[in-house]
């Protein structure tokens, strides 16, 4: 079965590239050209919608940009096709950057709405501009000549289209399995965790949006030479919806879902166009109705698309362990023990009328393990969120190594050496444990999307994976690194989060209820690891309900109740305090 996975791509590529040289009727070559063109656009949508969780209805408009650039430059200016490609891609990038810059900082439906507006605006622009030929479009596009060779025939174009489609698929696969790819894959699970690992989620979103636009524009450029004429119709909003339909049908989360969806839709379209009018005894565009019915059925019975029916037979490949020899990543110089590390100064957080954290102050010195305890709802997690920039301060200040960090973006705080786990585990369920942990190493790498797509990032990747495995081994989870994060029980998921936080090479580590859901033995092992970290110069702030665990581990404890600091002292002092006892008894019984 592993062989299937290994040879499927080369065989498929060989078939598609050989197709025009086989005795295949022209009709099928033409169909296959359409499928390749659609697949290139769909590929962008898989990355954008399936992987990153962003929806665009405007991909057809980006196709139009590429197509009109090709038509205008070659037919009207007699310019070269490559110049046209540069123009088309350049315009698409600019449009995507502008649209993205406006909408991607906002959450939810702003991007879909903006892409609808963009799709409509571009359609009417194309249809009303004199120099673009209005609704008649631009005719008389010359055949495609590349480097002096005429590749304009349908069969030659088939090779060009499919080389580009296959390379795009390969580049996308490479991207998803890389540092920037993991950042893009983390977008769907919400920004909080990704930002806490140092990822700029805005930048990751913008990257994938631009990438999808570029793929669409390249498809449009090819489309112009395939049709030899362009007009606004194929770039309308309804075509934009059809592209979305393709990826939902094929499998929105999979690179090959794009190809399957493009193929099925194109072939189905032709069948339905003939079949349905005969069935209804009248002519009309009944295929839209057919598509609607099919979409509903697919969403009901195969919500992940048709590709799942194929991928079910191909086992998930375990990542070959090629990083054993990788050079260790550089390690951050740890602050001198005893140096004031974190100063929390009268921090306050109000949610409307509720004061969740009420002017709380405390300090952590380098090399200390400090406990933060208190009954449920006392404001411990909120305090964590204030320190790590997940929530904004209502008032007060936080100093890290004497630098004010209050109001900084979470990712910039992470960059300074503060890492954390979450009370409610935040991870990417469809990433392996190893990949989830490698996400913590994000700031220790530098590979961007281009390097990743060209696979020039392998050395760095090996370093990141070696580090991820090392941290997993330390926490006793190395034997589970190939499992999917989502398949773990809660206890191991928490341990995975700790390994991920360790992968950031923190100077200060904030753990929110790390021992919850762990068995006695696992708790002991965790305690040992935390003590060992302290020995390495890592400072810790620990929220935990298991009092034995806290008392045995911490140097100092801060007690909170109803948002305020009740007391602070050594474990024996806290244990002896009647006020603390009353706080716990008062709320838990
Ligand atoms: P702890 O971690 O000590 O159990 P939290 O910090 O989670 O407590 O919560 C403190 C208080 O703030 C609780 O009353 C909780 O309901 C409230 N709270 C926490 N987060 C939010 C939020 N995002 N919006 C509104 N209220 C919140
Ligand atoms: Mg909490």
């Amino acid at each position: 079965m592993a062989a299937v996975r290994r040879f499927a791509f080369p065989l498929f590529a060989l078939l598609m590239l050989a197709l025009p040289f086989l005795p295949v009727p022209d009709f099928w070559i033409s169909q296959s050209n359409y499928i390749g063109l659609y697949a290139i656009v769909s590929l962008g949508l898989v990355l954008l919608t399936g992987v990153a969780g962003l929806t665009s209805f405007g991909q057809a408009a980006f196709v139009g940009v590429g197509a009109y650039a090709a038509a205008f430059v070659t037919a009207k200016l007699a310019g070269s096709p490559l110049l046209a490609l540069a123009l088309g891609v350049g315009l698409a990038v600019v449009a995507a950057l502008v649209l993205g810059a406006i909408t991607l900082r906002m959450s939810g439906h702003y991007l879909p709405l903006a892409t609808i507006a963009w799709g409509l605006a571009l359609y009417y622009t194309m249809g009303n501009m004199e120099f673009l030929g209005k609704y008649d479009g631009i005719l008389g596009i010359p055949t495609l000549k590349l480097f002096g060779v005429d590749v304009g025939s349908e069969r030659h174009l088939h090779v060009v289209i499919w080389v580009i489609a296959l390379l795009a698929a390969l580049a996308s696969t490479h991207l998803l399995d890389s540092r920037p790819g993991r950042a893009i894959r983390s977008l769907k699970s919400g920004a909080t965790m990704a930002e806490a690992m140092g990822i700029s989620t805005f930048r990751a979103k913008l990257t994938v949006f631009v990438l999808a636009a570029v793929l669409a524009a390249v498809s449009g450029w090819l489309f112009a030479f395939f049709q030899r004429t362009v007009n606004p119709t194929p770039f309308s909003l309804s075509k934009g919806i059809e592209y979305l339909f393709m990826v939902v049908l094929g499998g929105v989360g999979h690179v090959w879902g794009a190809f399957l969806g493009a193929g099925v839709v194109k072939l189905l379209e032709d069948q339905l166009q003939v079949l349905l009018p005969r069935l209804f005894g009248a002519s009309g565009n009944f295929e839209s109705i057919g598509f609607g019915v099919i979409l509903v059925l697919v969403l009901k019975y195969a919500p992940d698309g048709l590709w799942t029916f194929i991928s079910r037979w191909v086992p998930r490949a375990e990542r070959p362990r090629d990083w054993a020899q990788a050079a260790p990543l550089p390690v951050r110089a740890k602050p001198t023990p005893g140096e004031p590390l974190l100063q929390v100064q009268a921090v306050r957080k109000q949610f409307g009328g509720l004061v969740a954290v009420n002017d709380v102050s405390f300090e952590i010195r380098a090399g200390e393990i400090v406990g933060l305890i208190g009954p449920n709802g006392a404001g411990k997690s909120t305090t964590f969120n204030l320190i790590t920039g997940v929530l904004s301060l209502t008032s007060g200040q936080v100093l890290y190594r004497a630098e004010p960090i209050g109001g900084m973006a979470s990712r910039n705080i992470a960059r300074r050496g503060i890492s954390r786990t979450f009370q409610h585990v935040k991870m990417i369920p469809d990433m392996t444990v190893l990949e989830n942990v490698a996400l913590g190493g994000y700031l220790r790498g530098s590979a961007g999307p281009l390097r990743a797509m060209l696979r020039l990032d392998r050395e760095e990747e090996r370093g990141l994976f070696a580090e991820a495995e090392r941290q997993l081994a330390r926490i006793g989870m190395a034997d589970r690194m190939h499992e999917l994060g989502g398949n773990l029980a809660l206890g191991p998921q928490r341990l995975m989060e700790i390994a991920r936080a360790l992968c950031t090479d923190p100077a200060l580590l904030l753990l929110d209820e790390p021992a919850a859901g762990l068995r006695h033995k696992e708790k002991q092992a965790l305690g040992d690891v935390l003590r060992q970290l302290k020995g390495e110069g890592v400072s810790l702030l620990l929220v935990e309900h298991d009092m034995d665990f806290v008392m045995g581990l911490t140097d100092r404890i801060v007690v909170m109740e109803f948002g305020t600091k009740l007391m602070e002292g050594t474990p024996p002092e806290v244990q002896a305090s009647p006020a603390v006892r009353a706080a716990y008894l008062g709320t838990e019984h």
Side-chain angles (χ1 to χ4, degrees):
M1 264 325 201
V4 173
R5 179 171 274 279
R6 198 151 147 225
F7 293 115
F9 179 74
L11 280 178
F12 178 64
L14 197 68
L15 175 71
M16 294 324 288
L17 297 181
L19 205 63
F21 307 107
L22 301 174
V24 176
D26 284 345
F27 172 76
W28 288 107
I29 296 296
S30 163
Q31 293 295 81
S32 181
N33 277 340
Y34 275 115
I35 293 171
L37 290 172
Y38 291 168
I40 295 171
V41 185
S42 302
L43 208 48
L45 268 182
V46 162
L47 296 177
L48 187 67
T49 306
V51 178
L54 302 165
T55 307
S56 165
F57 295 97
Q59 292 315 99
F62 288 114
V63 179
V65 170
Y68 268 89
F72 189 77
V73 170
T74 59
K76 298 235 165 177
L77 306 179
S80 86
L82 289 181
L83 182 72
L85 180 63
L87 179 70
V89 168
L91 286 174
V93 168
V94 170
L97 282 176
V98 170
L99 275 176
I102 297 170
T103 59
L104 287 173
R105 280 185 211 278
M106 301 187 272
S107 58
H109 45 263
Y110 289 102
L111 181 72
L113 286 179
T115 57
I116 289 175
W118 153 248
L120 289 174
L122 200 83
Y123 179 75
Y124 290 112
T125 306
M126 292 184 293
N128 287 297
M129 286 297 190
E130 200 69 62
F131 78 106
L132 296 178
K134 296 200 167 180
Y135 287 99
D136 294 330
I138 300 174
L139 307 153
I141 298 171
T143 58
L144 180 61
K145 280 199 190 68
L146 289 176
F147 311 109
V149 185
D150 191 318
V151 287
S153 76
E154 281 215 343
R155 281 173 194 263
H156 283 143
L157 264 182
H158 188 276
V159 177
V160 178
I161 289 171
W162 277 91
V163 163
I164 291 177
L166 292 164
L167 284 178
L170 206 59
S172 304
T173 312
H174 290 169
L175 177 65
L176 291 177
D177 172 30
S178 75
R179 172 184 181 269
R182 283 188 294 276
I184 291 168
R185 288 161 74 189
S186 75
L187 292 173
K188 243 191 341 190
S189 304
T192 308
M193 186 275 285
E195 291 273 336
M197 295 302 126
I199 294 166
S200 164
T201 50
F202 171 69
R203 213 171 137 172
K205 285 179 191 170
L206 201 57
T207 303
V208 71
F209 188 56
V210 168
L211 212 57
V214 167
L215 284 170
V218 170
S219 171
W221 176 78
L222 288 165
F223 181 83
F225 293 107
F226 176 46
Q227 298 266 300
R228 308 281 300 281
T229 149
V230 295
N231 66 65
T233 313
F235 315 123
S236 66
L237 189 60
S238 67
K239 194 72 190 181
I241 294 170
E242 197 176 316
Y243 283 120
L244 262 179
F245 176 64
M246 287 179 209
V247 292
V248 171
L249 189 68
V252 73
H254 306 274
V255 164
W256 298 109
F259 286 78
L260 189 61
V264 170
V265 167
K266 182 62 199 159
L267 299 181
L268 217 58
E269 198 171 45
D270 293 338
Q271 296 308 312
L272 293 180
Q273 263 167 7
V274 180
L275 201 72
L276 289 182
R278 242 189 252 162
L279 206 67
F280 291 126
S283 63
N285 292 339
F286 295 121
E287 70 274 8
S288 311
I289 303 171
F291 279 161
V293 172
I294 292 165
L295 187 62
V296 171
L297 290 177
V298 167
L299 286 176
K300 172 120 178 64
Y301 294 104
D304 296 329
L306 299 175
W307 181 250
T308 45
F309 292 116
I310 296 177
S311 65
R312 193 174 289 171
W313 300 102
V314 188
R316 198 166 52 85
E318 215 170 72
R319 193 190 178 97
R321 193 174 170 283
D322 60 355
W323 55 80
Q325 308 299 324
L329 299 180
V331 174
R332 190 191 309 274
K334 299 291 181 298
T336 348
E339 169 192 321
L341 189 67
L342 188 80
Q343 287 156 291
V344 178
Q345 298 175 337
V347 296
R348 184 183 190 81
K349 184 65 191 180
Q350 275 174 235
F351 296 110
L354 176 83
V355 185
V357 177
N358 190 354
D359 299 341
V360 168
S361 306
F362 61 91
E363 221 184 271
I364 300 176
R365 292 183 170 274
E368 269 188 321
I369 302 186
V370 176
L372 182 60
I373 66 168
N376 277 328
K380 306 178 297 292
S381 295
T382 306
T383 304
F384 264 35
N385 288 338
L386 293 176
I387 296 171
T388 53
V390 170
L391 289 174
S392 60
L393 291 158
T394 303
S395 64
Q397 184 56 278
V398 181
L399 302 183
Y400 178 71
R401 305 191 78 174
E403 179 195 15
I405 57 168
M408 264 186 199
S410 178
R411 63 176 178 282
N412 293 327
I413 295 176
R415 194 178 284 279
R416 284 166 170 73
I418 303 182
S419 195
R420 66 168 297 176
T421 63
F422 295 89
Q423 181 180 349
H424 304 287
V425 174
K426 292 188 195 295
M427 46 118 193
I428 318 297
D430 58 3
M431 271 193 198
T432 64
V433 171
L434 190 68
E435 288 175 312
N436 267 291
V437 174
L439 210 51
Y442 184 80
L443 287 175
R444 299 170 82 181
S446 64
L450 209 58
R451 237 168 93 194
M453 286 190 267
L454 298 172
R455 287 260 123 154
L456 298 174
D457 61 341
R458 290 298 100 182
E459 192 60 38
E460 180 182 296
E461 278 283 286
R462 280 193 284 274
L464 288 175
F465 277 93
E467 176 70 3
E469 188 189 356
R470 198 169 73 83
Q471 300 303 348
L472 275 167
R474 168 170 224 183
I475 216 88
M477 283 202 33
D479 54 334
R480 309 194 66 175
M481 64 180 173
H482 295 301
E483 289 180 43
L484 291 183
N487 291 350
L488 298 181
L490 200 57
Q493 280 187 357
R494 289 182 171 287
L495 292 177
M496 176 174 81
E497 270 210 326
I498 297 173
R500 185 181 67 205
L502 289 178
C503 209
T504 66
D505 184 26
L508 174 63
L509 182 57
L510 279 63
L511 301 176
D512 201 345
E513 305 196 14
L518 295 190
R519 282 172 295 212
H520 185 65
K521 274 245 156 55
E522 292 170 324
K523 278 188 194 177
Q524 276 181 332
L526 176 62
D528 291 341
V529 172
L530 299 187
R531 261 180 225 106
Q532 197 190 354
L533 283 171
K534 177 183 158 115
E536 291 168 19
V538 179
S539 315
L540 288 143
L541 181 64
L542 194 69
V543 167
E544 186 48 62
H545 285 299
D546 183 329
M547 281 308 135
D548 290 339
F549 189 81
V550 175
M551 296 298 165
L553 200 66
T554 53
D555 300 304
R556 231 152 21 83
I557 296 175
V558 175
V559 188
M560 284 180 77
E561 188 193 20
F562 301 126
T564 37
K565 182 165 126 181
L566 195 62
M567 76 162 293
E568 179 179 340
T570 61
E573 284 165 2
V574 168
Q575 264 171 321
S577 160
V580 173
R581 216 163 280 187
Y584 271 88
L585 293 178
T587 51
E588 291 198 345
H589 292 275

